[in-house]
Amino acid sequence: MCAKKKKHTHDNSHITYQSLLEGNKKFIKNHLKIDPEYFEKLASGQNPPVLWIGCADSRVPANQITNTAPGEIFVHRNIANMVIHTDMSMLSVLDYAVNVLQVRHVIVTGHYGCGGVIAAISNKEFGLIDNWLRHIKDIYRVHADELDNIKDENQRCDRLVELNVIENAYNLCKTSIVQNAWKNGQLLSVHGWVYSIRTGIITDMKVSTSNNDKLDDVFKFK
Ligand code: CO
């Protein structure tokens, strides 16, 4: 799952600047055919019950892989689906999703074969992005005993993908945004998922939580 060589990369030669605009026309036509009021309804507002924090990877689009439609999932994506405490973009999305949209679920979704994790597990230098990937190396350090014992490189990488999701789900729980929601009795669950690009299957990492019981004491706001 961690293969470095691309063998059968999807042929995207038909995607051009113009084809995107043509695609938009088809999208409008198809939706209006099913429901003439489709866009009017969407324009009246959004009420998504889910916030998705996923990887920017083009193969992991939140809506398509969960069979959901526009209006159903609020989305934040970055390289390797990270929840970094000083990331104002992520925090703003989280704050808006939890406090204004009042989502019921926040899901961190990683994926096997994640380029960000593969890069982080290597000893290569990639430039600016190394500063972002450092957070993944920090997760490796915390779980080094387990990871160093996995001899197969692909398996080790897959496990780091899973641990990265689990740690970032906990990072969400550590935010004052999520803890205050719980303190105020808001129904909010945090989850961690890993998607397989090879099979299309989502695996639940079973770290779902709706209170701060699992957090180390130092992270709890009381
Ligand atoms: Co990725």
Side-chain angles (χ1 to χ4, degrees), residues 46-54 61-77 93-109 172 178 186-193 202 208:
Q46 65 169 334
N47 186 28
V50 175
L51 165 61
W52 175 279
I53 297 180
N63 283 129
Q64 281 97 328
I65 69 173
T66 56
N67 203 30
T68 50
E72 295 177 343
I73 300 187
F74 199 63
V75 174
H76 178 78
R77 290 169 71 176
V93 167
L94 180 65
D95 184 49
Y96 188 77
V98 171
N99 292 319
V100 179
L101 298 172
Q102 308 247 316
V103 297
R104 294 293 183 92
H105 304 277
V106 186
I107 307 169
V108 178
T109 305
L172 280 170
V178 169
Q186 201 170 321
L187 287 175
L188 179 69
S189 300
V190 174
H191 315 269
W193 288 356
I202 286 170
S208 299

Side-chain angles (χ1 to χ4, degrees), residues 55 57 80-81 111 114-116:
C55 184
D57 193 303
N81 40 270
H111 66 101
C114 182

Side-chain angles (χ1 to χ4, degrees), residues 22-51:
E22 293 301 325
N24 172 248
K25 284 180 190 147
K26 278 184 201 157
F27 162 76
I28 294 168
K29 202 174 140 192
N30 291 343
H31 280 81
L32 289 180
K33 211 189 292 175
I34 297 162
D35 180 2
E37 290 169 13
Y38 180 76
F39 292 102
E40 282 164 52
K41 284 178 191 164
L42 272 184
S44 68
Q46 65 169 334
N47 186 28
V50 175
L51 165 61

Side-chain angles (χ1 to χ4, degrees), residues 166-180:
I166 293 166
E167 290 290 343
N168 284 310
Y170 284 135
N171 281 348
L172 280 170
C173 302
K174 292 169 189 170
T175 63
S176 55
I177 298 165
V178 169
Q179 291 197 44
N180 279 324

